[in-house]
Amino acid sequence: MVEEAQSQPARLEELYVRHTPAAVGLAYLLTGNRDAAEDLAQDAFIRLAGRFQHLRNPEAFSSYLRRTVVNLHLSRLRRIRLERSYLARHSRAEPAQSMPDIAGRADLWAGLQQLPARQRAALVLRFYEDLSERESAKVLRCSVSAVKSLVARAMETLRNEMGSEEQ
């Protein structure tokens, strides 16, 4: 048993020296990149070395290594394809961010400062804090219809002051 445990590292070293060049060659043909090929072959060997004792036919190590290289390569391709499709979906979903309209923001801020305190509070609670009308009414200690009215009057005032017809 002791001889078997001592010969295991020597056996793995011999397998590595004998089979890695072919695995790197196969991986290079799959990837087209020398560094990626070496990484792929190394990963495949490590994966097999951990399972060496459980191989059905240890004499067919080169076949197992070849299959592992191909499987790892295909897994990487699937992962890359998945990442690219994710990025493509999200780049289409999110509009490109443009430069902020600083002048418009300053005008809006100035207009907001000119509003009566309750109207300004209603706008801030509804649109900045993103509270519902009911939640805003609780904070302002008024009815829901009063919040609707405050927001409507504040928006009308801002539209008139800023000269915009947008809502």
Side-chain angles (χ1 to χ4, degrees):
M1 188 81 161
V2 173
E3 288 179 24
E4 185 178 317
Q6 290 174 348
S7 67
Q8 184 70 21
R11 175 85 171 125
L12 284 175
E13 180 181 354
E14 184 254 321
L15 286 171
Y16 185 81
V17 169
R18 186 167 23 140
H19 296 288
T20 299
V24 171
L26 172 63
Y28 180 76
L29 292 174
L30 293 172
T31 63
N33 181 312
R34 179 76 179 169
D35 293 331
E38 289 173 356
D39 289 345
L40 191 61
Q42 183 72 26
D43 290 346
F45 188 85
I46 289 171
R47 197 168 278 198
L48 272 181
R51 299 179 184 153
F52 183 70
Q53 293 177 341
H54 304 290
L55 294 179
R56 280 184 262 161
N57 183 4
E59 301 306 316
F61 185 83
S62 63
S63 298
Y64 289 121
L65 184 61
R66 189 177 316 114
R67 185 73 240 164
T68 304
V69 166
V70 171
N71 286 344
L72 288 174
H73 175 66
L74 293 175
S75 293
R76 286 182 181 174
L77 289 179
R78 279 191 296 271
R79 187 171 43 255
I80 289 169
R81 192 176 321 126
L82 182 66
E83 289 170 358
R84 287 181 180 164
S85 69
Y86 175 82
L87 290 173
R89 273 195 318 271
H90 286 291
S91 67
R92 283 191 307 260
E94 298 174 13
Q97 295 202 2
S98 60
M99 293 298 293
D101 181 14
I102 303 298
R105 184 178 287 174
D107 291 343
L108 180 61
W109 179 249
L112 193 61
Q113 295 302 313
Q114 299 302 317
L115 292 174
R118 285 183 62 77
Q119 287 181 8
R120 184 172 54 238
L123 279 182
V124 168
L125 290 172
R126 287 288 291 129
F127 300 112
Y128 181 75
E129 292 292 324
D130 199 27
L131 295 180
S132 69
E133 291 170 340
R134 183 177 308 266
E135 293 168 327
S136 298
K138 279 184 179 178
V139 172
L140 292 173
R141 295 183 184 184
C142 63
S143 66
V144 172
S145 59
V147 169
K148 290 179 184 180
S149 177
L150 287 167
V151 169
R153 280 185 272 141
M155 293 296 287
E156 184 65 30
T157 303
L158 285 175
R159 277 191 214 104
N160 290 338
E161 284 183 18
M162 296 181 70
S164 172
E165 295 299 319
E166 296 178 3
Q167 293 184 12

